[in-house]
């Protein structure tokens, strides 16, 4: 068959690549536009944004939306609490989930199927909000920082992801470690963990995003303790305040250096979205290569 200089076997292959590129560009635009629009609204004057018509570029530039949010004294302390719960919660959850995945991934573990089904059952059925609250109260975790960590130590879906990755590791490597006298913990730490870094990085991203974005547990268990309030919860309260104010006037009005500035729920919501998204966007590029590697290894068998 005659091939072209660029390596295409036929005209249909060229058309497929062109259509594929066009579809990917359209998909990229559809995916990025809402975020770009949020950025434009967050940097646009709130009073002007009420008119609409803002797409990818602010019409009236301003930083007052960000000054309004960062003007709250509780924002900085709550950001530190969010960062702390994200780091501690991610490390503990990933390690505990990986240990569980390694245990039930062992072929010689007699109860592996029963334990797996026991955990999978919890993915579909739960006791409900009130029993969970009573359990947390009886464990004396109310108004405690550890209420952010302990309930989410084991993620069943994350456990399944790590277990599937571990099961794909060559059995000979683990057998060699045991022959050399390595115990289970040594095998796990020195052999399994380094080989499962792609899976651990993927799961770490899942857990970190969930921890960073969580606010409902703060509302349930620590709403009366301002020292344990998180960034997302504080942003939620700011949005509620601006929404309540907007029902009484055109927006939330406050004084800044002798000038009157107006913020609206729309501008506050857009600004909150950007503030909450930036940390995750900063971390993601460092984990991307591990995520791609994990998807590649997981998708290729043998």
């Amino acid at each position: 068959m005659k091939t072209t200089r660029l390596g295409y076997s036929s005209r249909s292959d060229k058309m497929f690549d062109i259509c594929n590129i066009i579809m990917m560009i359209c998909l990229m635009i559809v995916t990025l536009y809402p975020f770009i629009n949020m950025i434009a609204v967050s940097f646009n004057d709130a009073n002007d944004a009420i008119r609409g018509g803002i797409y990818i570029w602010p019409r009236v530039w301003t930083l007052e939306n960000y000054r309004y949010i960062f003007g709250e004294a509780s924002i900085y302390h709550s950001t530190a609490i969010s960062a702390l719960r994200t780091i501690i919660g991610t490390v503990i959850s990933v390690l505990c989930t990986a240990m569980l995945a390694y245990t039930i991934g062992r072929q010689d573990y007699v109860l592996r199927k029963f334990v797996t089904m026991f955990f999978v059952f919890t993915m579909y059925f739960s006791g409900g909000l009130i029993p969970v609250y009573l359990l947390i109260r009886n464990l004396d975790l109310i108004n405690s920082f550890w209420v952010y960590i302990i309930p989410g130590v084991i993620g069943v879906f994350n456990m399944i992801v790590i277990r599937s990755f571990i099961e794909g590791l060559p059995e000979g490597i683990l057998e060699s470690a045991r022959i050399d006298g390595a115990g289970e913990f040594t095998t796990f730490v020195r052999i399994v963990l380094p080989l499962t870094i792609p899976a651990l990085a993927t799961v770490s991203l899942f857990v970190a995003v969930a921890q960073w974005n969580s606010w409902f547990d703060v509302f349930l268990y620590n709403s009366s303790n301002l020292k344990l309030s998180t960034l997302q919860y504080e942003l939620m309260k700011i949005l509620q305040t601006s929404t309540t104010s907007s029902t009484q006037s055109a927006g939330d009005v406050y004084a800044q250096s002798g000038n009157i500035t107006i913020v609206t729920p729309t501008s506050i919501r857009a600004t909150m979205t950007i503030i909450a998204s930036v940390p995750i966007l900063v971390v993601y590029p460092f984990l991307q290569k591990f995520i791609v590697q994990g998807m590649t290894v997981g998708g290729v068998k043998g």
Side-chain angles (χ1 to χ4, degrees), residues 35 38-39 42 65-71 75 79 212-213 231-232 235 238 267-281:
F35 189 75
M38 285 289 181
I39 296 177
S42 69
N65 297 321
Y66 290 91
R67 290 173 182 167
Y68 176 75
I69 291 183
F70 288 111
I75 286 294
T79 301
W212 179 260
N213 290 332
L231 175 63
Q232 304 297 337
L235 292 178
I238 293 175
S267 62
I268 293 300
R269 190 180 301 112
T271 308
M272 287 169 48
T273 302
I274 303 304
I275 294 176
S277 302
V278 166
I280 300 299
L281 294 177

Side-chain angles (χ1 to χ4, degrees), residues 45-62:
D45 179 73
N47 199 24
D48 177 76
I50 299 176
R51 298 164 46 198
I54 300 175
Y55 300 106
I56 63 175
W57 198 258
R59 188 165 47 229
V60 180
W61 281 87
T62 184

Side-chain angles (χ1 to χ4, degrees), residues 45-174:
D45 179 73
N47 199 24
D48 177 76
I50 299 176
R51 298 164 46 198
I54 300 175
Y55 300 106
I56 63 175
W57 198 258
R59 188 165 47 229
V60 180
W61 281 87
T62 184
L63 295 176
E64 296 302 329
N65 297 321
Y66 290 91
R67 290 173 182 167
Y68 176 75
I69 291 183
F70 288 111
E72 298 289 332
S74 59
I75 286 294
Y76 302 98
H77 179 75
S78 61
T79 301
I81 295 296
S82 290
L84 192 62
R85 71 170 290 182
T86 299
I87 296 173
I88 296 177
T90 300
V91 172
I92 294 179
S93 178
V94 170
L95 287 179
C96 293
T97 304
M99 286 190 287
L100 175 63
Y102 172 68
T103 301
I104 65 177
R106 290 278 304 274
Q107 297 295 331
D108 56 347
Y109 182 47
V110 179
L111 299 178
R112 63 191 302 266
K113 291 185 178 181
F114 171 78
V115 175
T116 301
M117 292 302 300
F118 178 82
F119 278 98
V120 171
F121 181 84
T122 63
M123 294 179 63
Y124 301 99
F125 302 95
S126 66
L129 183 60
I130 295 178
V132 172
Y133 179 85
L134 295 177
L135 175 62
I136 296 298
R137 188 188 65 180
N138 292 335
L139 292 175
D140 198 23
L141 292 177
I142 301 296
N143 289 325
S144 170
F145 175 80
W146 294 104
V147 75
Y148 302 145
I149 309 299
I150 295 178
V153 165
I154 299 297
V156 180
F157 176 78
N158 298 332
M159 181 268 293
I160 295 175
V161 172
I162 299 176
R163 189 198 66 174
S164 300
F165 197 94
I166 292 176
E167 290 178 344
L169 298 177
E171 186 65 24
I173 298 179
L174 304 181

Side-chain angles (χ1 to χ4, degrees), residues 44-48 50 62 64-65 68 249-254 259-264 267-268:
N44 196 84
D45 179 73
N47 199 24
D48 177 76
I50 299 176
T62 184
E64 296 302 329
N65 297 321
Y68 176 75
S249 60
D252 191 8
V253 182
Y254 71 102
N259 299 323
I260 299 299
T261 304
I262 298 178
V263 294
T264 63
S267 62
I268 293 300

Side-chain angles (χ1 to χ4, degrees), residues 198-240:
L200 297 181
T202 303
V203 171
S204 297
L205 183 62
F206 294 160
V207 177
V209 171
Q211 287 281 9
W212 179 260
N213 290 332
S214 181
W215 66 268
F216 192 61
D217 52 357
V218 186
F219 172 74
L220 288 178
Y221 310 123
N222 289 336
S223 58
S224 61
N225 192 343
L226 297 179
K227 294 182 179 180
L228 295 177
S229 182
T230 62
L231 175 63
Q232 304 297 337
Y233 185 64
E234 291 300 321
L235 292 178
M236 186 272 296
K237 291 196 298 184
I238 293 175
L239 179 61
Q240 284 187 338

